[in-house]
Amino acid sequence: MNQIKWRNVLTQLKEQKAALAALIILAVFVLMSVLAFLSPYDPNKIMPMDKLQAPSATHWFGTDDYGRDYFARALYGGRVSLSVGFLSMAIAVLVGTAVGTVSGYFGGWVDNVLMRTVDVLMSIPSFFLMLILNAYLKPGISTIIIIIGMLSWMNIARIVRAETLSVKEREYVLYARVSGQSRLAIILKHIVPNIMPTIIVAATINIASAILMESSLSFLGLGVQQPNSSWGSMLNNAQGYIGEAPYLALFPGMFILLTVLSFNFLGDVFRVAFEPRANRR
């Protein structure tokens, strides 16, 4: 069954050129970020004599107000933004899957307690809570990853719970119960593997949200600290030079836009491929 679903993904990628383009764009961004060390320029080296140079053959993206090569900073900034997206997504998926499967499988008072906790957390504006936590905790990339991951698992938990309620009534799960398998073994061996497509869809969308959150925090000056860069912090630094050097905002803004749109396109492909009802539309 899972092989059929993954074949559906390939079919969707072939049919939807925009989704295939999104996959290529993400692959290029990831590869560029991984190979950022190959850049001949130090992204943090200050060169006052070269400040605010327009894009040229020497500096492909120009230079910023400190004379730093903007292309190198965009590469290393992509490494930060993508790392935050993937790692915070991993935290959110782990926590959300654990809470959702336990809640859906056990039901009763366990389900009530966990879901009411999720409802309370979802009622709190997560972005403002993020601002407060980030202001009191030690600034850094690891702090941002933990904050975003721990404040974005609730939607995943609700989706996983709904899938678990359906899967736990199927014959192979009932047989596993009768055969004496432990509850943990049933969850790990029978429930989680069969709801993995749904988890993948939620994770894809979660990455895009995490990148936007990190960019927003960095744009407000509460994310990645100087001299390090992320696409959001580059946008923040570009505010004062919109008229004089618009390219400072153009390149990081374009990268954020393309990355978020690409993940959303891929999430839609996974949703259509994994959900039979969506395929019939």
Side-chain angles (χ1 to χ4, degrees):
M1 187 66 179
N2 287 333
Q3 291 181 350
I4 295 175
K5 291 181 177 180
W6 285 111
R7 288 196 202 102
N8 289 339
V9 172
L10 294 177
T11 302
Q12 289 295 319
L13 287 174
K14 292 178 181 177
E15 292 178 353
Q16 299 187 29
K17 302 303 180 184
L20 183 59
L23 183 62
I24 294 172
I25 289 172
L26 289 176
V28 170
F29 283 176
V30 170
L31 187 62
M32 289 173 61
S33 299
V34 171
L35 300 179
F37 63 91
L38 295 178
S39 172
Y41 295 99
D42 183 343
N44 299 326
K45 186 176 182 179
I46 297 176
M47 301 289 289
M49 300 299 294
D50 297 333
K51 70 176 184 178
L52 297 179
Q53 290 187 5
S56 63
T58 305
H59 300 285
W60 292 356
F61 287 4
T63 60
D64 64 6
D65 52 324
Y66 290 102
R68 297 172 294 193
D69 183 74
Y70 215 54
F71 181 68
R73 290 187 66 76
L75 294 179
Y76 281 90
R79 179 181 290 184
V80 171
S81 295
L82 293 174
S83 297
V84 170
F86 281 105
L87 294 177
S88 61
M89 174 273 294
I91 294 174
V93 167
L94 286 174
V95 176
T97 301
V99 172
T101 51
V102 169
S103 178
Y105 183 80
F106 287 93
W109 67 269
V110 175
D111 183 31
N112 287 330
V113 170
L114 290 177
M115 285 301 101
R116 296 301 76 75
T117 302
V118 168
D119 291 339
V120 170
L121 292 175
M122 291 185 70
S123 67
I124 302 173
S126 59
F127 187 73
F128 292 106
L129 186 57
M130 235 177 272
L131 293 177
I132 295 171
L133 291 174
N134 195 67
Y136 282 97
L137 297 176
K138 181 181 179 181
I141 297 175
S142 58
T143 300
I144 296 174
I145 291 172
I146 293 172
I147 290 175
I148 294 177
M150 294 305 296
L151 293 178
S152 57
W153 58 268
M154 288 79 77
N155 281 326
I156 296 177
R158 297 186 72 170
I159 294 171
V160 169
R161 171 186 175 272
E163 289 294 310
T164 302
L165 289 173
S166 173
V167 171
K168 77 173 186 178
E169 300 300 331
R170 296 178 184 175
E171 289 80 2
Y172 54 85
V173 177
L174 296 176
Y175 176 79
R177 288 182 192 167
V178 173
S179 63
Q181 294 187 33
S182 66
R183 294 175 176 177
L184 180 61
I186 292 173
I187 290 174
L188 295 179
K189 293 181 180 179
H190 300 289
I191 293 180
V192 172
N194 283 282
I195 64 174
M196 189 57 67
T198 301
I199 295 174
I200 292 173
V201 174
T204 306
I205 298 172
N206 190 270
I207 293 177
S209 300
I211 291 175
L212 277 178
M213 289 180 184
E214 182 278 325
S215 299
S216 301
L217 285 174
S218 296
F219 180 77
L220 295 173
L222 298 173
V224 177
Q225 303 297 311
Q226 292 288 351
N228 297 320
S229 65
S230 74
W231 292 336
S233 66
M234 291 171 71
L235 275 178
N236 180 37
N237 295 334
Q239 290 182 90
Y241 303 94
I242 293 296
E244 184 179 357
Y247 62 87
L248 293 179
L250 174 64
F251 292 117
M254 181 177 63
F255 288 161
I256 293 172
L257 176 64
L258 289 175
T259 302
V260 172
L261 285 178
S262 296
F263 275 118
N264 284 334
F265 272 122
L266 288 181
D268 189 58
V269 165
F270 287 135
R271 179 185 60 80
V272 173
F274 292 154
E275 295 180 9
R277 292 180 182 178
N279 285 326
R280 297 193 192 106
R281 293 178 181 176

